[in-house]
Amino acid sequence: MVQLHVKRGDESQFLFNTTTDAALESLIQQVTAIYNGRLKVDRICSEIPELADHGVTLPPNMQGLTDEQIVELKLKDEWEERCIPSGGKIFRKDEIGRRNGHAPNDKMKEVLMRTVEEAKALISKKQAQANVCVTMEMVKEALDQLRGAVMIVYPMGLPPHDPIRMEFDDQEDLSGTQASLQVITEEECQLWWAGKEMQRGKKLQDYIGRNEKTKLVVKLQKKLDEADDDSYLDSEWSNRQALKRQFQGLTNIKWGPR
């Protein structure tokens, strides 16, 4: 098997096994799915501690409001009585007003937090150090573990607006977030090796030959839009005469009488 050490920039991500006969179109699809799947697991794992500490998310129109404002506006959380954690609730106020404060008890909190650690370990970047390849099955297993733990603590489910449920339902809205910059869609994903893009439509062996014991470091990156590729041509620094004037200290000089 050919072993790929997948990186994003200079940061190690995971190991992936393939063959020299693999079509790059399929290979890019598989690697992208694992990369984005690991990001999803990480996002859920970062949100579950908030669920464990402060309960489910308030409806969007109630988030960030004070208790007085909620009363004044006559707003009501219709999901408050439906989404009660197993074993009863403990009130832990969410100071930023994002969650309803009805947290699970310590035993149920432990279920959530232990599962987070198990799921994170399954798809951890440390797997590469241990020479363990990450597969899509492992990503799915991590997601199933997290989903199962949430169902144990919240058997009636989470509100449809809770980011954890939205992640499980593949309805997450990452627009305007830092997380959105990390995601790479299959269409915009490129795989690079030895300073070259590995082109779709070819096979891995077109680049590395037929040695099935090869180990490669490959890099994932986003394909730049054509507009982005060409935009530098319109920039001031791309103009050679302008650049020359800058070096000579002749920019922003007005000729003629003042």
Side-chain angles (χ1 to χ4, degrees):
M1 298 292 284
V2 176
Q3 187 179 88
L4 305 183
H5 185 172
V6 180
K7 291 188 174 185
R8 176 84 192 272
D10 293 326
E11 189 174 357
S12 174
Q13 299 294 322
F14 56 91
L15 302 181
F16 181 79
N17 279 341
T18 185
T19 64
T20 59
D21 193 46
L24 280 164
E25 184 77 38
S26 175
L27 183 58
I28 291 171
Q29 180 183 25
Q30 292 173 303
V31 169
T32 306
I34 293 173
Y35 172 79
N36 288 329
R38 290 176 67 254
L39 291 178
K40 177 185 280 287
V41 172
D42 282 341
R43 291 194 301 269
I44 296 172
C45 286
S46 68
E47 196 67 55
I48 283 181
E50 297 298 315
L51 176 70
D53 283 338
H54 303 296
V56 301
T57 306
L58 289 164
N61 66 337
M62 295 177 65
Q63 293 182 24
L65 299 180
T66 64
D67 293 340
E68 292 77 13
Q69 289 172 323
I70 290 173
V71 171
E72 183 179 342
L73 295 170
K74 299 179 181 179
L75 300 176
K76 182 175 175 57
D77 182 2
E78 297 179 359
W79 294 90
E80 181 176 330
E81 296 305 319
R82 301 189 215 178
C83 302
I84 297 176
S86 297
K89 59 191 178 184
I90 298 174
F91 187 72
R92 296 193 188 99
K93 184 177 178 62
D94 182 3
E95 296 299 333
I96 64 173
R98 184 165 172 258
R99 294 182 172 273
N100 69 7
H102 300 310
N105 63 32
D106 289 343
K107 182 178 179 180
M108 291 294 102
K109 179 179 179 178
E110 173 61 24
V111 170
L112 291 172
M113 300 307 296
R114 183 175 64 248
T115 306
V116 163
E117 293 306 313
E118 291 171 355
K120 287 167 66 174
L122 198 57
I123 52 91
S124 170
K125 294 174 183 176
K126 292 181 180 179
Q127 294 283 44
Q129 299 172 11
N131 203 35
V132 175
C133 291
V134 174
T135 65
M136 197 60 206
E137 286 69 28
M138 292 167 71
V139 173
K140 290 178 180 177
E141 182 181 345
L143 289 171
D144 286 343
Q145 288 177 351
L146 294 169
R147 186 182 290 107
V150 171
M151 287 300 295
I152 288 172
V153 180
Y154 288 91
M156 299 302 292
L158 300 177
H161 51 266
D162 192 290
I164 297 172
R165 175 169 168 180
M166 293 175 75
E167 289 280 4
F168 287 144
D169 294 344
D170 292 327
Q171 299 293 322
E172 66 270 21
D173 180 10
L174 303 179
S175 57
T177 67
Q178 185 67 28
S180 68
L181 303 178
Q182 298 176 301
V183 174
I184 304 179
T185 66
E186 183 184 325
E187 293 74 21
E188 66 186 2
C189 180
Q190 293 178 335
L191 207 58
W192 286 67
W193 171 68
K196 300 177 184 176
E197 181 191 352
M198 304 174 88
Q199 298 284 345
R200 298 169 188 259
K202 294 187 176 183
K203 291 189 174 183
L204 190 57
Q205 65 189 22
D206 294 332
Y207 292 90
I208 68 168
R210 297 177 180 273
N211 183 357
E212 293 291 344
K213 295 184 180 180
T214 305
K215 294 184 178 182
L216 308 175
V217 174
V218 297
K219 291 191 176 184
L220 280 178
Q221 70 178 52
K222 288 185 179 183
K223 180 172 73 172
L224 294 175
D225 294 333
E226 289 185 14
D228 293 336
D229 287 341
D230 296 338
S231 62
Y232 78 95
L233 296 174
D234 300 324
S235 62
E236 177 72 11
W237 63 264
S238 72
N239 183 316
R240 290 190 177 186
Q241 291 301 320
L243 191 61
K244 184 177 180 180
R245 289 196 300 272
Q246 283 185 331
F247 282 127
Q248 294 173 341
L250 298 178
T251 56
N252 297 322
I253 294 178
K254 295 181 180 180
W255 304 98
R258 293 182 181 273

